[in-house]
Amino acid sequence: MTDIEKAAGREAAMTLMYKYGGTHIYVPTPDLLERFPQNYRNNRLVQIVGLEAAIEIARNLVGPMGSKVYIPTAASFVRGCRRLWVRDYADKFSLSETARRLGVSERYVSQIRRDLRQEGLIE
């Protein structure tokens, strides 16, 4: 989701994930969106994020013919965020406190910390 978030902002990315996560949506070319906006009023992407954000997403994600873009589920996004939070909390909170703050088990936090150590992202 990072590409959509970079192109159109976090709110647009989150809205897309909650409404269409786990599916593909059609994204027209930016040229078509700019030249014929009236033709794309009913496009899912345009309806959710608006025309300007849809154009930015199209500029960053589609080829010359438009394409279907996979929208990840919100759960996969949250998992990625948890990794970042565990990394950020590593020096600040205990294992138990980190688990409580994130609403996950201590075992899950331990697994993430182990992976982050192996990747050299925490000590």
Side-chain angles (χ1 to χ4, degrees):
M1 198 40 103
T2 328
D3 295 332
I4 291 175
E5 187 176 351
K6 284 179 188 173
R10 179 166 289 147
E11 188 174 333
M14 294 298 292
T15 302
L16 281 170
M17 281 189 291
Y18 283 113
K19 292 197 181 240
Y20 293 104
T23 67
H24 289 82
I25 62 170
Y26 174 70
V27 180
T29 66
D31 181 54
L32 288 174
L33 287 168
E34 290 172 327
R35 290 177 55 208
F36 307 105
Q38 67 281 2
N39 293 350
Y40 294 96
R41 279 187 295 231
N42 293 326
N43 176 272
R44 291 180 192 176
L45 181 66
V46 173
Q47 286 181 333
I48 291 171
V49 302
L51 182 62
E52 294 304 315
I55 291 169
E56 286 305 311
I57 291 169
R59 280 191 183 120
N60 288 287
L61 296 178
V62 303
M65 301 299 290
S67 66
K68 289 197 173 240
V69 173
Y70 178 74
I71 307 298
T73 63
S76 65
F77 179 75
V78 169
R79 275 192 302 277
C81 288
R82 283 189 185 134
R83 272 181 55 88
L84 295 174
W85 292 327
V86 168
R87 184 195 69 202
D88 292 344
Y89 291 170
D91 296 335
K92 298 175 187 164
F93 302 110
S94 68
L95 178 74
S96 298
E97 182 62 21
T98 299
R100 273 192 293 279
R101 285 175 177 261
L102 298 179
V104 297
S105 69
E106 291 179 2
R107 182 170 184 223
Y108 183 66
V109 172
S110 291
Q111 290 172 339
I112 293 173
R113 284 183 174 181
R114 183 191 66 233
D115 293 345
L116 292 171
R117 276 190 204 95
Q118 288 175 349
E119 294 169 22
L121 298 174
I122 63 172
E123 294 181 11

